[in-house]
Amino acid sequence: MCGIVGLLMANESDFVNQLLFDGLTVLQHRGQDSAGIVTSEQGRLNLRKDNGLVKDVFQAHHMMELRGHVGLGHVRYPTAGSSSCAEAQPLYTNYPYGICVAHNGNLTNTGVLSVEVREKFQRHINTDSDSELLLNIFAEAMASNTKTTPTPQSTPTPQSTTSSKTMVDTVFKSIEEVMEKCIGGYAGLYLINGIGLVGFRD
């Protein structure tokens, strides 16, 4: 059992940090093991997470660094993995785009998924958390479903390589693939850097 929250402000000059903090404080009963917030500002991800209660993890100087108009928050009650700070969420992978996850629930086929992520996708898994598997399976689906043709002169960005409709189709096709592979009871919120937020549950 965990608590997850995601926010996207219409005005890009507004910050979500205080609203995420307030939301996690209200959700504190869902998990007291660790707390974390990630925000995105102009393509840069700002992350703070640690073991402890919301009020202890986020001091004023941390809150000032969590700038951005879009973000995720998580409070954890460990039901899989360990109580290690490494398993505090949100979790992050840099490819593609920079994707973060706040996850609640359990996957029941982690053995099969772990082999697929490590051997087929050649992705490194650093924890025993099923949340990290969920993140990497979604990231791999996004990578394989994104069609880009970058020019040699420029580095592709989500906005320059795909239309909005194509990106929406890519995101939903990737979610469909995740839900076909991942068995259990779970909900996930993803921040896709430069694109937005998406949430789904089994």
Side-chain angles (χ1 to χ4, degrees):
M1 180 172 72
C2 298
I4 58 177
V5 61
L7 289 169
L8 172 67
M9 305 298 278
N11 184 344
E12 291 188 15
S13 63
D14 290 341
F15 290 166
V16 295
N17 52 359
Q18 188 61 52
L19 292 171
L20 288 170
F21 177 91
D22 294 344
L24 291 179
T25 301
V26 172
L27 291 172
Q28 186 72 82
H29 66 283
R30 299 275 304 172
Q32 298 85 38
D33 186 63
S34 64
I37 291 175
V38 64
T39 61
S40 177
E41 180 187 40
Q42 298 177 352
R44 183 176 186 87
L45 293 171
N46 307 299
L47 175 64
R48 167 69 181 158
K49 61 182 183 174
D50 204 350
N51 286 347
L53 300 175
V54 174
K55 67 180 180 66
D56 300 322
V57 170
F58 303 105
Q59 303 301 313
H61 66 281
H62 299 126
M63 295 300 290
M64 290 173 58
E65 294 169 2
L66 292 169
R67 296 177 306 277
H69 76 288
V70 59
L72 298 176
H74 188 274
V75 288
R76 183 167 190 257
Y77 177 86
T79 56
S82 70
S83 295
S84 162
C85 180
E87 296 190 8
Q89 295 184 42
L91 297 173
Y92 162 81
T93 187
N94 69 325
Y95 179 77
Y97 308 121
I99 300 175
C100 303
V101 68
H103 164 241
N104 175 48
N106 289 304
L107 304 181
T108 58
N109 61 334
T110 55
V112 172
L113 296 175
S114 182
V115 169
E116 181 173 18
V117 168
R118 287 186 168 100
E119 295 180 9
K120 182 179 177 185
F121 300 154
Q122 298 293 300
R123 286 179 170 264
H124 175 74
I125 300 298
N126 204 49
T127 70
D128 293 325
S129 171
D130 54 355
S131 304
E132 190 175 11
L133 292 171
L134 193 66
L135 170 62
N136 279 281
I137 290 166
F138 179 72
E140 188 64 30
M142 284 290 295
S144 67
N145 290 322
T146 301
K147 307 290 187 265
T148 60
T149 52
T151 60
Q153 294 84 10
S154 65
T155 302
T157 63
Q159 295 83 2
S160 68
T161 57
T162 56
S163 70
S164 293
K165 181 180 181 335
T166 302
M167 183 52 68
V168 168
D169 292 343
T170 297
V171 169
F172 283 103
K173 183 176 181 188
S174 300
I175 291 169
E176 186 178 322
E177 290 176 15
V178 168
M179 297 195 80
E180 286 173 358
K181 290 181 182 183
C182 298
I183 300 169
Y186 58 92
L189 281 173
Y190 291 92
L191 188 161
I192 308 167
N193 200 21
I195 297 171
L197 292 178
V198 65
F200 61 91
R201 66 184 183 94
D202 68 302

